[in-house]
Amino acid sequence: MRVLVVGGGGREHALCWAMAASPLVDTLLCAPGNAGIGDVARCVDVQADDVDGLVRLARDEAIDLVVVGPEVPLVLGLVDRLEAIGVKAFGPSAAAARLEGSKAFAKAFCIRHAIPTAAYRSFGRDEAEAARAYVRGHALPLVVKADGLAAGKGVTIAATHAEAIDALDAAFSGAFGEAGSEVVVEAFMEGEEASLFALSDGANVLELGTAQDHKRAFDGDRGPNTGGMGAYSPAVIMTPGLIERAMAEIVRPTITGMAAEGSPFRGILYVGLMVTRDGPKLVEFNVRFGDPECQVILPRLMTDLGQLLQGAADGMLGHMNVRWHDRHALSVVLAARGYPGSYVRGEPIAGIGAAAADDDVLVFHAGTALDAQGRTVSAGGRVLNVTATGTDLRSARDRAYAAVARIDWPGGFCRRDIGWRALPDAR
Ligand code: GLY
């Protein structure tokens, strides 16, 4: 099978690593890829949001299966465009991707299908005064979310009414472009966050593991929100009972609900959960693998990823199951100093080979390039994902940080407390 993976981050490096190992895959391309992905796939310089370019590439390269990593091309309708020219794709249609692309759609969907989530109201830009009045009368803290994709920046947990009104005004005045033309205001849920992944072919659904992300930039969950500074899997808080409850109350109703509404969901459903005193509740849907959560799920996966993704694209998941290595995985993100604000690119990074010399360590590249001398240099905010597995989480963590210590990049930083919820002494 000729496979094209779309994207160029750590998630896509992990996807390419797993697809390269599949006996079903004989040719692997990645667009645009990065320096590390170049070791396992042929990278093609087409950006992940260039839908026309990706459709042309898939056609010209006679691709059998396109695997879409990030959310933007899914929301832009890449899968619909590929299917229209007869190219099979793994990922939801634009209509199904609204679960992530519009928070107002997702919340209304939850109400229609009795999926547990926080109470909310949504407001358009022309209802700004009503939104402010609603916020002023709302209990604190409360959550203000831009409706559309805002690269992880559109959510404010407001401790005061003034903060919430500032967040409303920012969204309505264009801080997130069109993504902020509608906002969702919702009640704050108390509890611990965890992520649950599921794979669906539109009708059948398989659980695909749990993870916990670390969204803040600095140790102790301080500093600005990022795309994620590290993750581990499985998420210790997600007991088998809680996973089954989340599957029964959130995941399966979502898959049957989307099918019933005429937008069957094929792809990865990433369910952001709050584990509350009353059980798991939905924080948000995403319609793709998490990044860096993918980097800790795939090293634990024993079943061939190629078979699973092809099965999902072909509607064959009813005949399949998922098997796991009895391992824990933990990934530490090395980011460029300054991230998620401004940072420099082009700094040489040494020691990646030494870090990956341990059989239980994988270094996924998230934002790297090769310079004119063939050296690996930083080329993004999140740059490397140093991932290790172990028979328990502690050994995975110790291995990951030992590998981090072998990387020589003075311009980088990482959190030192990844995994602290499950290993409190990590703080
Ligand atoms: N790590 C969070 C996300 O992928 O959305």
Side-chain angles (χ1 to χ4, degrees), residues 76-413:
L76 291 176
L78 175 60
V79 169
D80 312 67
R81 291 278 306 279
L82 290 165
E83 286 177 349
I85 60 159
V87 176
K88 210 184 295 173
F90 173 76
S93 65
R98 284 178 298 167
L99 285 175
E100 178 167 358
S102 167
K103 293 189 168 61
F105 172 84
K107 295 295 283 191
F109 177 86
C110 287
I111 303 293
R112 291 198 291 281
H113 298 281
I115 291 168
T117 187
Y120 85 106
R121 287 252 331 250
S122 63
F123 300 90
R125 201 172 258 155
D126 55 349
E127 299 169 297
E129 205 35 65
R132 287 190 200 102
Y134 179 76
V135 155
R136 277 189 210 102
H138 200 292
L140 294 169
L142 60 82
V143 185
V144 179
K145 296 178 172 175
D147 175 60
L149 297 182
K153 299 191 181 87
V155 177
T156 302
I157 297 172
T160 64
H161 291 119
E163 238 181 286
I165 287 171
D166 283 351
L168 280 179
D169 290 346
F172 287 144
S173 62
F176 312 111
E178 270 315 287
S181 60
E182 188 167 0
V183 295
V184 165
V185 180
E186 65 179 32
F188 178 77
M189 293 186 285
E190 289 283 355
E192 186 171 327
E193 280 193 67
S195 308
L196 172 65
F197 296 86
L199 176 68
S200 181
D201 60 10
N204 304 289
V205 61
L206 297 173
E207 188 236 307
L208 205 59
T210 61
Q212 250 176 347
D213 190 10
H214 298 64
K215 292 204 170 85
R216 300 296 190 118
F218 308 131
D219 287 6
D221 282 341
R222 285 192 294 267
N225 264 329
T226 69
M229 292 298 292
Y232 67 95
S233 173
V236 174
I237 189 172
M238 291 301 291
T239 59
L242 272 177
I243 293 174
E244 188 36 47
R245 246 186 104 173
M247 290 296 289
E249 295 174 17
I250 299 175
V251 174
R252 288 190 204 104
T254 302
I255 300 304
T256 51
M258 291 301 282
E261 294 191 6
S263 307
F265 185 93
R266 290 185 204 93
I268 297 288
L269 185 66
Y270 157 4
V271 177
L273 295 171
M274 188 65 79
V275 181
T276 73
R277 276 194 317 202
D278 303 327
K281 297 201 171 161
L282 181 83
V283 176
E284 64 180 14
F285 288 119
N286 295 294
V287 298
R288 34 83 196 175
F289 262 122
D291 184 347
E293 293 93 324
C294 183
Q295 293 88 307
V296 287
I297 299 266
L298 294 186
R300 298 182 45 241
L301 184 67
M302 188 187 285
T303 310
D304 172 29
L305 183 69
Q307 206 180 2
L308 285 174
L309 301 192
Q310 189 184 43
D314 287 344
M316 299 299 284
L317 289 185
H319 305 283
M320 299 174 99
N321 54 38
V322 181
R323 286 177 305 127
W324 297 97
H325 296 292
D326 190 13
R327 309 280 288 173
H328 293 248
L330 183 141
S331 187
V332 179
V333 171
L334 285 185
R337 249 174 240 291
Y339 172 79
S342 56
Y343 50 82
V344 295
R345 296 166 192 254
E347 294 185 326
I349 305 171
I352 296 174
D358 180 338
D359 284 347
D360 296 317
V361 172
L362 293 155
V363 180
F364 295 120
H365 291 221
T368 61
L370 294 178
D371 71 4
Q373 291 112 64
R375 296 177 304 179
T376 301
V377 296
S378 61
R382 291 189 294 173
V383 171
L384 295 172
N385 307 146
V386 181
T387 306
T389 60
T391 49
D392 56 25
L393 186 59
R394 188 174 297 279
S395 61
R397 187 215 32 205
D398 291 349
R399 255 181 213 131
Y401 279 110
V404 165
R406 290 186 203 114
I407 292 177
D408 180 11
W409 176 30
F413 78 100

